[in-house]
Amino acid sequence: MADIRTQSLKKPVDVAEYLFRRLHEAGVRSVHGVPGDYNLVALDYLPGCGLNWVGSVNELNAAYAADGYARVKKISALITTFGVGELSAINGVAGAFSEMIPVVHIVGCPSTLSQRNGMLLHHTLGNGDFNVFANMNTSISCNVAKLNHPSEIADQIDHALRECQLQSRPVYIMLPTDMVQAKVEGARLDNPIDLTEPSNEPEKEDYVVDVVLKYLRAAKRPIILADACAIRHRVLNEVHDLVEKTNLPVFVTPMGKSAVNETHPNYGGVYAGDGSHPDVKEAVSAADLIITIGALKSDFNTSGFTYRTSQLNTIDLHSDHCIVRYSVYPGVRMRGVLRKVINQVSASELAVHPSPTVSTQVNKTDDGSQTITQAWLWPRVGHFLKAKDIVVTETGTANFGIWDTKFPEGVTALSQVLWGSIGWSVGACQGAALAAKDLGDRRRTILFVGDGSFQLTAQELSTMIRQGLKPIIFVLCNEGFTIERFIHGMEATYNDIAQWDFKALVDVFGGSKTSRKFTVKTKDELNKLLTDDAFNAADCLQFVELYMPKEDAPRALVMTAEASAKTNAQRE
């Protein structure tokens, strides 16, 4: 039967080749993962399809790296082996689902014959159930494709990649060993997958636009607030055009940082409820209409749910629905609404008030000592950054400190505020740096990670060195898990870590001849380093141990940690 079916194909092509050529078409150039016997034959097809095999140190780091790669390249691929490999990666994939990152997770699995016969194979639970791991992934994937039947496989692959792109979430593809070289219709590759976003129903869209314009024109103090999903669902051009057309003040949330050009005169700063600077909090609280674009009102994104805004004064635009005050319009996507509002509105018909002035206040935060404090560091970083840098911040002090860093134009900020998996940033940095390399960019990738977080995923430094990547890595050495200390247990031993010689790892992982290492303990030493031409050029991997006080934290972290502790202690 297989031979008869193959003869009916116009351009027979192996399943693995079809899958990997489609990945290349979607924009993937490097594939993260760990080899295992159920995926080895498939990996042989990567070079012929124009894909680079990264070779990660473990599956969890590979998933983190795929997350970072996708944030820069707009899609990524991860290959693991059945059971042991995919379960090691599942936390990273869950984070990508939570944060809406398009990752294609391909799992090499036992043959369809082995599955039908319930064979007692390695990497299984020993109960003959070969669907158990796929079932685990259903809640963290927007599509699950089990490639068991050649006649369906091409459709399954195309559909999975489309869903991954449109929903901006992971998909799970289960590739049995006997399907790797099965034949599918290669003629389909002559036509690209349709990745265009569905259009709104015109009458619904026009109605929502009319309602939005009605409230916008009537407002006395309207503002714009850009959040994470504006980035994830690729409407930043619309955000920019809306700001230009309306001349309204625009703010970002912590997860929305870098969604707006922070050098634009209308940019008013980071709004996170009580964690905001006073002038930002005052400006947003005074608004009688807030147009939120891609809002994601999680606890750490709102400083512990401390928003002081009324839904009565809010228009929420989302990827698959819109909410105007208390009216919900399902199925009306924000892109179409934004574009029509931009086309139909004029700044002359709106009440426009100036934005708060955002400046890099290094002098105001200098306490006169040589101690590198959190309050001083993050404004100082704003002077070090360049246009189009990629800035990766770890859950903890860096995630909160970066709120006080004013970005140059075109900076891309990567953080994991919602999922908040400690150690994510090291893998994400590798993926982001590799994505920039694959794009042919000379952009710098800069990582800020705490010493505790770095210890969880330090091995990824090895992958960076192996791939010839050139990130600048700042390890903030402050003796443990600072964010946990401020939530609970300032002196508790469970928030302590072993004191490593961090920069020695560069040599351990093979970077002694290709990397540079630094130890910085004073403001003068940091200023000297940040103004050094060779350091700024970032022509090799550069690793900085940056020492800071143990009980010091960014102001936003302190506020959010207090709110988090209260939430954790709540009872019915």
Side-chain angles (χ1 to χ4, degrees):
M1 290 294 292
D3 290 339
I4 294 174
R5 182 186 174 279
T6 299
Q7 292 172 9
S8 69
L9 301 175
K10 297 177 182 178
K11 296 182 180 179
V13 63
D14 291 359
V15 166
E17 180 179 349
Y18 187 93
L19 172 58
F20 293 151
R21 285 178 63 182
R22 282 303 203 199
L23 283 178
H24 189 279
E25 175 192 317
V28 175
R29 294 295 179 271
S30 294
V31 178
H32 292 88
V34 176
D37 61 337
Y38 293 130
N39 64 33
L40 293 177
V41 175
L43 297 184
D44 289 338
Y45 286 78
L46 290 171
C49 298
L51 299 175
N52 168 52
W53 173 246
V54 175
S56 307
V57 292
N58 62 52
E59 291 88 355
L60 176 60
N61 284 7
Y64 288 158
D67 180 313
Y69 188 97
R71 292 178 191 238
V72 174
K73 200 74 168 58
K74 310 310 179 190
I75 192 169
S76 68
L78 166 69
I79 299 180
T80 62
T81 198
F82 187 72
V84 294
E86 60 180 306
L87 293 189
S88 292
I90 203 166
N91 171 48
V93 176
F97 185 88
S98 171
E99 299 251 337
M100 286 173 283
I101 308 299
V103 176
V104 180
H105 185 192
I106 301 163
V107 178
C109 68
S111 69
T112 55
L113 178 63
S114 300
Q115 294 183 50
R116 283 198 302 272
N117 292 339
M119 295 179 69
L120 191 61
L121 299 178
H122 61 286
H123 299 342
T124 72
L125 298 179
N127 59 3
D129 185 353
F130 288 87
N131 290 310
V132 60
F133 307 125
N135 292 340
M136 290 180 185
N137 277 274
T138 55
S139 294
I140 58 168
S141 307
C142 67
N143 180 263
V144 172
K146 301 175 184 178
L147 308 186
N148 293 330
H149 305 289
S151 61
E152 301 171 358
I153 285 175
D155 278 332
Q156 288 177 293
I157 291 171
D158 289 0
H159 179 69
L161 294 184
R162 175 174 168 79
E163 291 302 303
C164 183
Q165 184 79 0
L166 293 186
Q167 295 193 44
S168 193
R169 280 195 154 129
V171 294
Y172 178 94
I173 297 178
M174 195 171 174
L175 178 59
T177 54
D178 60 329
M179 290 295 108
V180 171
Q181 296 177 310
K183 303 298 182 183
V184 294
E185 181 55 79
R188 294 172 61 114
L189 294 169
D190 296 336
N191 298 309
I193 302 172
D194 180 12
L195 299 177
T196 55
E197 186 176 302
S199 299
N200 291 325
E201 190 176 314
E203 288 187 359
K204 282 186 177 181
E205 181 178 88
D206 287 342
Y207 182 81
V208 174
V209 170
D210 286 344
V211 175
V212 170
L213 288 172
K214 170 189 171 184
Y215 290 118
L216 181 56
R217 287 164 176 155
K220 302 300 182 186
R221 296 188 72 93
I223 64 169
I224 300 167
L225 180 62
D227 207 336
C229 294
I231 301 172
R232 307 292 193 264
H233 291 280
R234 303 171 294 279
V235 295
L236 297 189
N237 287 337
E238 284 77 8
V239 172
H240 175 268
D241 290 349
L242 183 66
V243 173
E244 288 293 318
K245 190 70 179 290
T246 62
N247 202 30
L248 292 176
V250 59
F251 302 84
V252 297
T253 66
M255 289 184 71
K257 193 157 170 64
S258 82
V260 173
N261 174 10
E262 298 189 7
T263 67
H264 194 286
N266 292 41
Y267 175 67
V270 177
Y271 178 68
D274 289 348
S276 314
H277 280 289
D279 56 345
V280 174
K281 183 179 177 182
E282 180 182 349
V284 175
S285 297
D288 63 347
L289 182 67
I290 304 173
I291 300 178
T292 71
I293 304 173
L296 211 168
K297 299 176 183 178
S298 70
D299 52 353
F300 279 15
N301 204 31
T302 62
S303 285
F305 306 114
T306 59
Y307 273 21
R308 298 291 182 264
T309 58
S310 168
Q311 187 60 43
L312 195 61
N313 296 334
T314 303
I315 295 173
D316 292 319
L317 305 179
H318 295 279
S319 62
D320 58 359
H321 71 284
C322 294
I323 305 173
V324 183
R325 302 176 81 174
Y326 288 104
S327 298
V328 181
Y329 302 95
V332 180
R333 306 169 73 94
M334 62 182 168
R335 187 187 307 278
V337 171
L338 280 168
R339 186 50 62 190
K340 283 189 176 178
V341 168
I342 292 163
N343 291 339
Q344 297 179 33
V345 74
S346 170
S348 62
E349 58 186 342
L350 304 179
V352 177
H353 293 265
S355 304
T357 300
V358 180
S359 59
T360 305
Q361 300 181 351
V362 180
N363 293 334
K364 290 184 178 180
T365 57
D366 191 342
D367 61 4
S369 75
Q370 281 295 312
T371 302
I372 301 171
T373 63
Q374 298 281 347
W376 178 84
L377 173 64
W378 299 107
R380 178 64 186 86
V381 166
H383 286 299
F384 166 66
L385 297 180
K386 296 180 180 179
K388 297 185 179 180
D389 279 345
I390 300 169
V391 180
V392 187
T393 52
E394 174 62 53
T395 297
T397 55
N399 248 357
F400 291 91
I402 204 71
W403 299 7
D404 291 334
T405 301
K406 183 180 179 181
F407 287 164
E409 184 175 1
V411 166
T412 298
L414 276 60
S415 63
Q416 203 190 49
V417 175
L418 178 56
W419 186 245
S421 186
I422 295 177
W424 163 87
S425 69
V426 184
C429 173
Q430 183 264 298
L434 184 57
K437 181 181 178 181
D438 284 354
L439 285 166
D441 289 349
R442 289 279 300 164
R443 304 167 69 184
R444 302 186 306 180
T445 301
I446 303 166
L447 168 65
F448 295 95
V449 56
D451 49 6
S453 298
F454 182 77
Q455 290 192 359
L456 271 73
T457 47
Q459 314 98 309
E460 205 54 31
L461 184 60
S462 170
T463 311
M464 298 180 203
I465 293 168
R466 183 184 180 198
Q467 291 290 324
L469 304 177
K470 303 173 182 179
I472 300 173
I473 300 172
F474 292 93
V475 176
L476 310 182
C477 299
N478 55 4
E479 303 180 49
F481 298 112
T482 302
I483 186 170
E484 314 294 5
R485 292 192 195 281
F486 277 84
I487 293 175
H488 182 79
M490 181 60 72
E491 297 297 335
T493 57
Y494 48 71
N495 287 327
D496 295 337
I497 60 170
Q499 295 306 305
W500 287 6
D501 181 357
F502 289 99
K503 67 180 187 297
L505 292 174
V506 175
D507 295 345
V508 169
F509 291 136
S512 59
K513 297 180 180 179
T514 59
S515 307
R516 301 174 71 203
K517 301 167 293 181
F518 308 89
T519 298
V520 173
K521 295 185 176 181
T522 69
K523 288 190 177 85
D524 284 347
E525 289 174 348
L526 184 58
N527 280 326
K528 182 179 179 181
L529 182 64
L530 297 185
T531 54
D532 180 77
D533 289 341
F535 185 76
N536 276 272
D539 288 331
C540 65
L541 185 146
Q542 299 181 107
F543 191 96
V544 183
E545 286 183 355
L546 182 63
Y547 285 85
M548 308 183 72
K550 172 183 174 182
E551 296 185 9
D552 184 28
R555 54 166 195 86
L557 185 151
V558 175
M559 293 175 138
T560 305
E562 289 175 353
S564 181
K566 290 177 181 177
T567 299
N568 293 343
Q570 283 180 353
R571 298 181 180 180
E572 292 185 3

